[in-house]
Amino acid sequence: GTRTTASVGWPSPVEMLVSTPSVCSVGSQRRFTARRASSKPASERAGRVRDRRSVVSCEYFDWNDVKRSRSRQREKSAAEFAKTENSLVVLPGMHCGRRSVLLSSVTLAGLAGLDTAVPSPALAFIDLPSRLHNRYFLVRHGESLLDTRGIVLSNPSFKYDTTYGLTKLGISQMHLASKKITDEYDGAPSWLYTSNYQRSFQSSLIIREDLGMLFSQLRTEFSGLLDPRKMGDLDYKSQELWKDVWARDLLDPTNTPPPVPASLQPSASVESPRDLFRRALECFTRLESTYYGEDVILVSHQDTLSLFTASVMGTKLTDHHKDWAMELGEVRCLDLSGVPSGKGSENFSPTDLRGEYAVGDRAVNYQNLNKK
């Protein structure tokens, strides 16, 4: 076909005088080029090797020929580089051209200087026991009709059943709990979290009103973190059977009550001390990453609160009921923003009482850490 060439850069005035517009079609693009005046015959110019660094060629030809030509050039370039002694591996997904090989050599050279050690996985939860930024008031619900009848009930199907609400004594216990938070601990709670079981929810409503908190400061926990320990086959049976469960807890942190035989997934109907420890990790990680320097109330149930306390204070999970049992309507203050005092303080010695820590950082605070 007819070929016209133009020098890269601005043409000289003489070239502009003898130039004629010519069209170069590349896909849908069209541009005008200038034809260089030359005294050489066309036969000599046709055989001249084209210098790609100094001249741009615009031709009238089939675009498929260009693609085939470039494909052959890439294959040729790959073959030439493969023959060399210091041939490099071409990265996956790159065509085998000179540019690709150069890019791969630079990339591999950069990777060679990097530290290839596998990083340790990030922690999803804070380590307990650990220094805490907030002060927590653990409150066990007041006496309910279940307690007067001596019945165990942890099945979530009955959590909204108002039949098992507070008794008059339970209401009085919650008024006393509110008074204890303000008078004994000088508390000014900003947030109140509660289990959505009726005995806990009704208890939290009384505390909220006594402390003058807004409804927007009351958080009903639907995730199950504050639910009672799942007791499986012991539901609707005597609370005296709890004693057997606590006795077996002393021997094994994975001990569970007897599961429901008819359940499609019996293991999901019961929980062990270790299961409640996982709940504590998630609960305090969420609270610590959300609030700072606040008083937070958690209204929940017996084993849940005793395991939460054991987790925070670093005592044995198997001894949760022996060390941290809670009576109906009892209030417990967990203040680990400084050096703890009182029961359990001998098991907890913070190593860092200043500065910040991010969720996921390791903040190990065991008692033997500073011993020489």
Side-chain angles (χ1 to χ4, degrees):
T2 304
R3 169 181 293 182
T4 59
T5 59
S7 300
V8 175
W10 292 99
S12 63
V14 177
E15 293 174 342
M16 294 179 65
L17 291 175
V18 298
S19 64
T20 57
S22 175
V23 179
C24 175
S25 299
V26 180
S28 61
Q29 299 180 0
R30 299 173 63 87
R31 66 174 178 265
F32 290 94
T33 59
R35 185 179 60 182
R36 178 189 296 272
S38 175
S39 59
K40 294 183 179 181
S43 58
E44 295 183 12
R45 293 200 306 270
R48 181 168 56 88
V49 178
R50 183 172 50 181
D51 188 355
R52 298 178 62 90
R53 294 172 299 175
S54 60
V55 69
V56 176
S57 175
C58 293
E59 304 170 344
Y60 291 103
F61 47 69
D62 187 1
W63 181 242
N64 292 327
D65 292 339
V66 179
K67 292 191 288 186
R68 286 192 293 268
S69 175
R70 290 181 179 178
S71 177
R72 288 193 297 268
Q73 182 64 28
R74 285 196 296 268
E75 294 174 359
K76 181 179 178 181
S77 300
E80 292 177 356
F81 275 85
K83 293 178 182 179
T84 60
E85 295 180 355
N86 299 324
S87 60
L88 299 173
V89 178
V90 179
L91 296 178
M94 299 177 63
H95 62 77
C96 299
R98 290 184 175 87
R99 179 181 178 85
S100 303
V101 176
L102 289 174
L103 289 175
S104 64
S105 64
V106 174
T107 305
L108 293 176
L111 292 176
L114 295 178
D115 184 7
T116 57
V118 179
S120 58
L123 300 178
F125 305 112
I126 62 176
D127 285 335
L128 293 178
S130 174
R131 179 175 67 91
L132 302 177
H133 290 151
N134 304 293
R135 185 167 62 158
Y136 297 95
F137 294 99
L138 308 185
V139 181
R140 186 184 174 189
H141 62 80
E143 183 189 67
S144 68
L145 292 176
L146 288 171
D147 299 306
T148 59
R149 300 175 186 176
I151 298 175
V152 177
L153 181 59
S154 63
N155 192 321
S157 300
F158 299 94
K159 61 172 57 179
Y160 302 113
D161 193 339
T162 56
T163 305
Y164 308 111
L166 296 182
T167 63
K168 290 184 178 180
L169 177 59
I171 295 174
S172 177
Q173 289 171 338
M174 288 299 97
H175 288 304
L176 292 175
S178 303
K179 185 175 179 61
K180 185 174 183 178
I181 291 174
T182 55
D183 294 351
E184 183 174 337
Y185 296 108
D186 194 25
S190 301
W191 303 99
L192 196 163
Y193 283 81
T194 178
S195 160
N196 56 355
Y197 282 72
Q198 280 299 308
R199 51 192 185 271
S200 293
F201 182 70
Q202 292 181 13
S203 299
S204 66
L205 291 178
I206 297 173
I207 295 176
R208 184 209 66 80
E209 185 175 357
D210 288 352
L211 298 180
M213 302 176 68
L214 303 174
F215 271 106
S216 59
Q217 295 174 290
L218 174 62
R219 296 283 189 268
T220 304
E221 186 57 48
F222 294 97
S223 66
L225 293 179
L226 298 178
D227 282 3
R229 180 181 181 180
K230 296 178 181 178
M231 302 301 288
D233 196 43
L234 298 186
D235 279 343
Y236 278 105
K237 295 182 179 179
S238 174
Q239 292 184 357
E240 292 296 321
L241 297 175
W242 261 334
K243 297 179 181 179
D244 297 334
V245 177
W246 294 331
R248 291 194 297 270
D249 284 349
L250 291 171
L251 305 176
D252 184 10
T254 62
N255 170 64
T256 63
V260 178
S263 174
L264 295 177
Q265 191 176 2
S267 61
S269 65
V270 292
E271 285 183 305
S272 67
R274 186 168 294 175
D275 294 328
L276 289 171
F277 175 70
R278 295 191 188 99
R279 274 209 239 165
L281 288 179
E282 182 176 351
C283 177
F284 286 102
T285 297
R286 288 171 52 183
L287 292 170
E288 286 292 292
S289 61
T290 305
Y291 308 117
Y292 186 92
E294 304 282 2
D295 285 348
V296 181
I297 301 176
L298 304 179
V299 182
S300 188
H301 308 264
Q302 183 169 231
D303 281 7
T304 303
L305 296 177
S306 63
L307 260 303
F308 276 22
T309 307
S311 303
V312 170
M313 298 302 295
T315 58
K316 292 182 179 179
L317 298 179
T318 55
D319 299 346
H320 68 95
H321 185 73
K322 182 179 71 173
D323 295 338
W324 308 106
M326 293 189 69
E327 300 295 332
L328 292 168
E330 182 179 346
V331 177
R332 174 176 295 147
C333 179
L334 293 180
D335 185 2
L336 299 184
S337 58
V339 178
S341 59
K343 181 182 177 182
S345 60
E346 66 277 2
N347 299 311
F348 189 92
S349 179
T351 60
D352 180 15
L353 298 179
R354 295 173 300 174
E356 300 289 340
Y357 72 84
V359 173
D361 288 351
R362 296 192 64 82
V364 182
N365 299 314
Y366 294 99
Q367 58 177 351
N368 296 325
L369 195 59
N370 290 330
K371 290 185 177 181
K372 297 181 181 179

